[in-house]
Amino acid sequence: MMKSQVALLYVLIIMSKGSAQSMKPRRSVFFSDVNLKLFKEPDFDGLSSVLVREDIGQLFIGARGKIITLSLDDITKKTKEINWIVTSKEKALCQMKGKSIEVCDNYITLMHTLNDGRILVCGTKAFDPTCTHLMFEEGNVTMEDSFENGRGKVPFDPNENFASLVNGNTLYTAGTINFLGTVKSFQRHGRNSLMTEQIWSWLKGPNMISMKFAEISKHSYNNEDDSVFLFLTEIGIENQRNHLRLSRVARVCKSDMGGLRTLQRKWTSFLKAYLDCPFGDEGSTSLVQDVFFLQDEKNVSDSIFYATFTLSPKPSSTCSQSAVCAYKLSDIQQVFRGNFMTETDSGPWVRFTGSYTSPYPRTCINDEMRAKGVRTSRDVLDSDLMFVKNHPLMEQVVTPITGKPLLVGSAAQFSRIVVDKVTSLDGQQHNVMFISNNSGWVQKAVWSGDDGGRIIEELQLSQDPQPIHFLQLSSRSGQLYSTTRTAVVQLSVRDCSRYRSCADCLIARDPYCGWDRLTGLCAAAAGASNLSMIQNLIDGDVGTCPSSHSFPTVSKQITDIQLTLDVAQFLPCTPDTNLPISWSFSGSILKPSPRHTLLSQGLVLTPSLTDQGLYTCETVEVVKGRKHRKAVIQYHVKISKEEIVGGVNWFQAIVIYILASVCVLCVMLIIYMYWKQKPQNHVGSTSVSYAGTEQPAQKTVLCNCFSGPDTKKTTPTRVEEKAKSTI
């Protein structure tokens, strides 16, 4: 009996932990079970930049004091190592300036491919940023002997965030431009260099996140100039008394040449707007962490920015929440064509109600402006440029295409995101998101307007909990590259081997996978035809599966078990997915009762003589209203009646039972008090709630401040009404 009570105590502890989790990804795959390739060396650390070169099949890794190239097909094959270290004199000088020995090294923080195939490379070089070029000739990578000043291109401090991109041979950067790290700027380098005005209304304590280029002229009816978008967070200028940090998207025009007299060598097209991702409790704001631009080849205005966000909670909050929001380029353009904000004498910014007839800079220069003689920014009137200088902020808010996040998660925070456009066998396109978190996991997710977001699976790519700093995707080869500070991981996004039956393959609705009729395996659907492969991403209908390849039976997994009358026993059920389970007894669905306690990981059975028979544990998955069941394990239970002689044994049994029950209650109370004081943070499985579907009520939530994606929250005081976006 004592053994049974110990087993029951263990179950209750599991139950107390499991009940705190919200909805999970369909499947969690731990590091040992992920089919991946790993590159790691003893002296390899400080990884600070990554570049994928599909044209030459190389992955460039910038780290501390070196640049390493790996084969894109197999990163375990190192093809080149170039050392770029600082001298002892340079390191000593850096330390004399008050910097630690660790940061007084050369961290390769920038790598971009130029039009001529060379790679622009910049390093921090012991707080003296320096740039050079890499060349790839006849299969060999070499570094040029000439070097140039890199100040303003990369920060002095390797730990500072910055953003950059190259368009053609033109470099754009946003970050710190001085040694002390007190001045930050958004710049274009080269012959016609420009930068932001050093006034707080343009940038106030910015943290640069990501930079993207949109080739708007390609599909514009009036040949409007291309745009560069900068995503950042900064202290809001809307209310000077409230030092609230907000997310922003800023925009400049590619052909901006600065002003002729006003705003000389400064952006004349710089505008910014509040970027909203509504989730969390009242008083919290969402801060953008990373952005991926999925460009639409047919119409650039339909392109989508996918962004990860974390909460900036109130000081008293212990919540850790994240979300993914998506924004249509045309919606962002519309915001920048709207009304300006203006600063009042008392401080707060309000809507500008005066007259402003010039279309610049609300739209970049187009054919209509050119017809009126405004061919470059230097043709814009000084009065208009002075207005631009004093009114960088737009009134309208950039809202997500769904009006809310695609998905919201708690526990480990989302960090990086990449998105792949996948064509299914029926010719439809599906955008698959890969989202990393700060505990070394990556989630594969799909969002559709029909059934909202769903997490297909999550993969542990780092054996130890640590942040993933970079995610890079090679759509051509279907490979995902993930990096921490000390290691590089490669895995195929088209790996379908974890779906071991036709039913499991179809119900998962993984756009990469389908059931191969010939081999009888779940395999990559890329390049296959409907004749040889089965795929159903709409509702996962398994009716087309061959009968011999449906869910496998569990006849070989029937476990005979002998139980004692009226003694509690735990029957475990551990499926290979995160789906809810259901129990049946002799063919009938088992419901909770005083003798049957149903838990997320098993069944506690306190049997009577009528409880002998076959118990079956099944996973239950509902797709488009259709319920799918898969047997996990079966128990054939037999009951034995324990003979007890004399009243003393009965008395002892009752005393033991009472004492054990008291112990269980005490332990549960301790667990509850501990949980109340210290919220859980599961690194093995990031809990996620789907923003597009209705969720069942949860008795216990992981984070008490969580109120879901539809919850109203405080927005900056300048916003009188949020703009409604069109799905």
Side-chain angles (χ1 to χ4, degrees):
M1 179 177 291
M2 287 300 293
K3 290 182 178 180
S4 299
Q5 292 291 346
V6 171
L8 179 59
L9 172 61
Y10 174 73
V11 170
L12 291 172
I13 292 174
I14 293 176
M15 181 175 64
S16 68
K17 291 184 177 181
S19 63
Q21 297 179 3
S22 58
M23 292 192 69
K24 297 179 180 179
R26 185 177 185 271
R27 186 190 305 268
S28 299
V29 186
F30 289 87
F31 183 81
S32 58
D33 298 321
V34 180
N35 184 18
L36 55 78
K37 293 181 173 66
L38 175 67
F39 175 81
K40 190 174 184 178
E41 292 183 343
D43 59 343
F44 178 74
D45 64 353
L47 195 152
S48 44
S49 58
V50 176
L51 176 65
V52 173
R53 284 288 300 267
E54 290 185 320
D55 57 331
I56 58 176
Q58 298 292 310
L59 180 67
F60 288 77
I61 305 295
R64 184 172 67 169
K66 65 178 65 177
I67 301 164
I68 292 176
T69 61
L70 310 173
S71 169
L72 272 183
D73 296 330
D74 185 355
I75 63 167
T76 62
K77 298 178 180 178
K78 183 166 68 173
T79 56
K80 184 71 173 182
E81 178 175 328
I82 298 175
N83 292 319
W84 189 12
I85 60 176
V86 298
T87 64
S88 56
K89 182 179 179 180
E90 290 171 328
K91 184 170 290 189
L93 182 61
C94 175
Q95 290 180 264
M96 286 178 59
K97 296 177 180 178
K99 304 302 177 181
S100 67
I101 188 172
E102 183 179 355
V103 298
C104 287
D105 216 317
N106 189 25
Y107 291 83
I108 316 302
T109 54
L110 183 148
M111 291 191 293
H112 286 296
T113 303
L114 304 177
N115 273 351
D116 58 7
R118 292 184 303 164
I119 298 175
L120 174 65
V121 181
C122 298
T124 57
K125 202 75 185 306
F127 273 71
D128 184 19
T130 305
C131 297
T132 186
H133 296 90
L134 297 179
M135 297 173 292
F136 186 84
E137 296 176 345
E138 299 180 354
N140 187 38
V141 179
T142 58
M143 178 182 286
E144 288 184 349
D145 294 332
S146 59
F147 299 91
E148 59 187 48
N149 194 325
R151 298 187 180 191
K153 296 178 181 178
V154 295
F156 290 70
D157 190 332
N159 297 316
E160 286 191 23
N161 289 340
F162 78 105
S164 66
L165 69 80
V166 162
N167 176 248
N169 286 326
T170 303
L171 174 67
Y172 298 81
T173 64
T176 300
I177 61 175
N178 67 333
F179 179 86
L180 296 177
T182 55
V183 180
K184 295 188 178 182
S185 180
F186 176 19
Q187 300 183 81
R188 184 180 68 200
H189 303 268
R191 182 178 301 175
N192 295 314
S193 60
L194 296 177
M195 63 189 306
T196 44
E197 188 71 78
Q198 295 300 318
I199 53 178
W200 63 267
S201 60
W202 281 41
L203 294 171
K204 188 175 183 181
N207 182 24
M208 311 303 187
I209 301 298
S210 183
M211 200 180 297
K212 306 298 175 184
F213 177 80
E215 198 174 4
I216 294 173
S217 60
K218 190 175 182 180
H219 299 105
S220 174
Y221 73 93
N222 59 2
N223 293 314
E224 183 180 346
D225 189 20
D226 298 331
S227 295
V228 177
F229 293 94
L230 171 66
F231 294 84
L232 68 149
T233 66
E234 67 166 351
I235 299 172
I237 62 174
E238 291 84 341
N239 190 334
Q240 296 183 26
R241 293 171 296 180
N242 186 352
H243 295 282
L244 194 65
R245 183 164 285 273
L246 306 175
S247 295
R248 302 281 198 205
V249 55
R251 185 227 65 187
V252 295
C253 304
K254 174 184 176 181
S255 299
D256 193 337
M257 298 181 66
L260 188 61
R261 287 173 293 273
T262 303
L263 292 178
Q264 291 185 22
R265 302 181 67 84
K266 301 292 193 301
W267 295 109
T268 64
S269 56
F270 178 84
L271 295 176
K272 63 181 180 180
Y274 175 51
L275 186 71
D276 190 27
C277 184
F279 72 105
D281 65 343
E282 184 177 351
S284 298
T285 58
S286 51
L287 301 182
V288 61
Q289 302 296 309
D290 191 32
V291 179
F292 184 88
F293 185 45
L294 188 65
Q295 187 154 323
D296 192 299
E297 299 300 330
K298 297 180 180 179
N299 186 354
V300 69
S301 294
D302 291 332
S303 302
I304 304 294
F305 294 94
Y306 290 85
T308 55
F309 288 81
T310 60
L311 276 188
S312 173
K314 294 179 292 186
S316 59
S317 175
T318 56
C319 283
S320 174
Q321 285 183 268
S322 303
V324 175
C325 279
Y327 307 88
K328 199 171 182 179
L329 175 58
S330 58
D331 292 339
I332 296 179
Q333 287 179 293
Q334 193 61 36
V335 168
F336 286 123
R337 291 174 182 144
N339 297 316
F340 293 96
M341 299 290 286
T342 188
E343 186 180 14
T344 61
D345 293 336
S346 58
W349 286 61
V350 297
R351 178 180 180 178
F352 176 74
T353 57
S355 60
Y356 184 77
T357 58
S358 174
Y360 189 82
R362 286 182 288 190
T363 59
C364 295
I365 292 177
N366 53 35
D367 285 343
E368 295 175 11
M369 296 185 200
R370 295 182 187 103
K372 295 178 181 180
V374 182
R375 296 184 174 276
T376 73
S377 59
R378 293 179 181 176
D379 298 322
V380 179
L381 296 176
D382 283 343
S383 58
D384 291 336
L385 293 183
M386 186 58 68
F387 180 89
V388 169
K389 178 179 178 179
N390 296 323
H391 299 82
L393 183 62
M394 307 308 294
E395 180 200 20
Q396 286 184 294
V397 173
V398 177
T399 55
I401 56 177
T402 57
K404 58 185 179 182
L406 302 184
L407 54 92
V408 177
S410 56
Q413 292 184 343
F414 294 159
S415 52
R416 304 300 180 185
I417 182 170
V418 294
V419 183
D420 195 16
K421 186 175 291 186
V422 183
T423 303
S424 55
L425 293 179
D426 59 5
Q428 298 296 314
Q429 288 192 326
H430 307 266
N431 296 339
V432 182
M433 300 175 285
F434 295 90
I435 309 151
S436 68
N437 65 31
N438 58 7
S439 294
W441 288 73
V442 167
Q443 296 181 344
K444 179 165 67 172
V446 176
W447 189 91
S448 66
D450 295 332
D451 57 355
R454 53 191 174 89
I455 309 296
I456 298 172
E457 63 182 359
E458 62 176 357
L459 309 169
Q460 186 185 22
L461 303 188
S462 176
Q463 198 164 11
D464 302 318
Q466 57 180 309
I468 291 176
H469 291 282
F470 295 98
L471 274 184
Q472 294 288 326
L473 179 68
S474 173
S475 297
R476 183 185 303 176
S477 61
Q479 299 293 313
L480 182 70
Y481 304 94
S482 165
T483 68
T484 62
R485 296 287 288 179
T486 58
V488 185
V489 166
Q490 173 191 357
L491 74 153
S492 170
V493 297
R494 302 168 185 167
D495 184 5
C496 306
S497 61
R498 284 182 287 277
Y499 309 120
R500 300 185 180 175
S501 68
C502 179
D504 194 29
C505 184
L506 297 191
I507 294 173
R509 294 183 293 158
D510 189 331
Y512 290 107
C513 302
W515 185 258
D516 193 318
R517 300 172 187 265
L518 300 178
T519 63
L521 297 171
C522 192
S529 68
N530 286 316
L531 298 177
S532 62
M533 184 162 284
I534 307 170
Q535 189 184 55
N536 189 330
L537 301 182
I538 298 175
D539 57 9
D541 184 11
V542 299
T544 54
C545 282
S547 57
S548 59
H549 293 290
S550 60
F551 280 136
T553 62
V554 293
S555 58
K556 295 182 180 180
Q557 300 182 42
I558 296 179
T559 302
D560 291 323
I561 186 168
Q562 188 89 11
L563 301 185
T564 303
L565 185 66
D566 294 329
V567 176
Q569 177 67 41
F570 176 50
L571 307 183
C573 178
T574 55
D576 60 356
T577 62
N578 296 322
L579 299 171
I581 61 174
S582 172
W583 286 87
S584 61
F585 171 54
S586 298
S588 299
I589 298 298
L590 194 63
K591 297 182 179 180
S593 71
R595 300 194 315 275
H596 306 98
T597 304
L598 306 180
L599 306 175
S600 61
Q601 298 185 31
L603 167 68
V604 178
L605 176 61
T606 308
S608 66
L609 292 176
T610 60
D611 289 318
Q612 294 188 119
L614 187 64
Y615 290 80
T616 303
C617 174
E618 301 172 306
T619 57
V620 182
E621 187 169 12
V622 180
V623 180
K624 298 289 186 179
R626 185 182 287 113
K627 188 174 290 187
H628 302 275
R629 294 180 175 273
K630 176 185 176 182
V632 179
I633 193 169
Q634 290 180 307
Y635 294 94
H636 186 251
V637 174
K638 296 181 180 180
I639 309 299
S640 63
K641 186 176 181 181
E642 187 180 70
E643 295 186 6
I644 301 177
V645 181
V648 176
N649 287 343
W650 278 106
F651 176 78
Q652 290 177 344
I654 292 173
V655 171
I656 292 173
Y657 186 87
I658 292 174
L659 291 175
S661 300
V662 171
C663 290
V664 169
L665 292 174
C666 290
V667 171
M668 290 182 66
L669 180 61
I670 293 172
I671 293 172
Y672 176 76
M673 295 300 294
Y674 176 78
W675 178 80
K676 289 289 287 183
Q677 294 177 4
K678 182 179 181 181
Q680 299 178 22
N681 184 15
H682 292 277
V683 297
S685 177
T686 304
S687 56
V688 173
S689 64
Y690 302 108
T693 56
E694 183 178 352
Q695 303 302 332
Q698 299 289 330
K699 293 183 179 179
T700 311
V701 293
L702 180 62
C703 200
N704 290 332
C705 70
F706 176 64
S707 53
D710 291 321
T711 301
K712 295 179 180 179
K713 68 188 182 97
T714 302
T715 55
T717 55
R718 68 175 179 84
V719 181
E720 296 177 3
E721 181 179 0
K722 288 189 177 180
K724 295 183 179 179
S725 57
T726 303
I727 296 179

